[in-house]
Amino acid sequence: GAGVSQSPSNKVTEKGKDVELRCDPISGHTALYWYRQSLGQGLEFLIYFQGNSAPDKSGLPSDRFSAERTGGSVSTLTIQRTQQEDSAVYLCASSSWTGTGNSPLHFGNGTRLTVT
Amino acid sequence: AQSVTQLDSQVPVFEEAPVELRCNYSSSVSVYLFWYVQYPNQGLQLLLKYLSGSTLVESINGFEAEFNKSQTSFHLRKPSVHISDTAEYFCAVSDKGAQKLVFGQGTRLTINP
């Protein structure tokens, strides 16, 4: 079956522009995560969605970052007024909901964002 | 808040040598533990996980990891590595009852012939 799909795979934007990154999770997975992978920084948690519950936004680095998930499926991560420090690979992952945190994550291949 | 420390950012080893990638986590509450692997130009994928039961868990390609509660560690080992094991390895932890998965900084394993 299809895995987690992210688009675009690469995005180059000018400083100050807004960008939207898209994630299509695995069908039937109710949990969806966004992480940011920067060189030497590992994976930084950004935001987590589970079903219709309020998302866990505790990892969003500033109010320039926002995300939504429509219809419990596709998610969009939006970065407004991009800065050079936003350059990174943005990873989306999904998992089935178990209520206990033991379900492994399935990752997409990421969107490489470069802010010039 | 939970945090994960991978003490080595890079580990170079020779082919067929043993390797240990270290991982320590901060929380003392009940946890689930994972190792993920990212091969060159590929996405992250699950390597192995500890949920409960035996503290020693194994992957299909010869890696193993041992959960040590007293030392809050989950080190990854392989007795004899292959060139194909070249990748970046990430340790991750979630608190039981919480869905949020916290990752370490990653360890880049380089295998030299």
Side-chain angles (χ1 to χ4, degrees):
Chain A
V4 176
S5 176
Q6 292 187 245
S7 61
S9 55
N10 282 283
K11 176 71 176 179
V12 180
T13 190
E14 292 180 353
K15 177 182 173 182
K17 300 283 190 183
D18 298 351
V19 295
E20 284 190 353
L21 313 180
R22 176 188 168 101
C23 174
D24 273 288
I26 291 173
S27 178
H29 280 186
T30 57
L32 186 147
Y33 304 74
W34 282 98
Y35 286 87
R36 179 167 69 175
Q37 184 176 19
S38 304
L39 193 62
Q41 298 296 315
L43 271 73
E44 176 187 6
F45 169 78
L46 297 178
I47 189 169
Y48 157 67
F49 296 89
Q50 167 49 38
N52 295 321
S53 302
D56 178 349
K57 304 180 182 180
S58 60
L60 294 178
S62 77
D63 58 7
R64 296 187 296 105
F65 287 73
S66 63
E68 62 178 23
R69 189 178 184 191
T70 54
S73 181
V74 172
S75 177
T76 302
L77 177 69
T78 301
I79 308 174
Q80 296 178 310
R81 306 181 301 282
T82 52
Q83 303 295 313
Q84 289 186 330
E85 61 262 29
D86 300 334
S87 296
V89 177
Y90 289 82
L91 294 170
C92 177
S94 69
S95 74
S96 53
W97 171 248
T98 64
T100 59
N102 63 0
S103 184
L105 272 59
H106 299 260
F107 282 86
N109 288 331
T111 294
R112 182 175 298 278
L113 175 66
T114 303
V115 181
T116 61
Chain B
Q2 183 67 265
S3 68
V4 180
T5 301
Q6 291 183 244
L7 294 168
D8 305 299
S9 60
Q10 294 189 61
V11 173
V13 296
F14 287 107
E15 193 171 16
E16 298 183 4
V19 70
E20 178 179 80
L21 307 183
R22 296 177 290 171
C23 172
N24 288 87
Y25 60 96
S26 62
S27 175
S28 61
V29 300
S30 296
V31 295
Y32 297 123
L33 297 155
F34 305 82
W35 277 97
Y36 283 78
V37 59
Q38 188 173 31
Y39 297 106
N41 301 314
Q42 295 187 29
L44 275 150
Q45 56 188 281
L46 180 69
L47 182 63
L48 49 75
K49 61 184 177 183
Y50 168 78
L51 304 180
S52 65
S54 173
T55 57
L56 185 66
V57 292
E58 298 178 352
S59 72
I60 59 173
N61 59 350
F63 281 92
E64 63 180 29
E66 186 161 20
F67 168 50
N68 188 319
K69 187 174 182 179
S70 63
Q71 296 186 4
T72 59
S73 68
F74 191 54
H75 301 331
L76 182 70
R77 302 183 184 95
K78 188 170 185 179
S80 176
V81 295
H82 302 285
I83 292 286
S84 59
D85 294 323
T86 296
E88 189 152 18
Y89 292 80
F90 293 90
C91 181
V93 179
S94 67
D95 294 336
K96 286 187 181 179
Q99 198 78 3
K100 180 176 170 180
L101 193 61
V102 178
F103 284 83
Q105 298 91 333
T107 297
R108 186 171 299 277
L109 177 63
T110 304
I111 314 298
N112 299 308

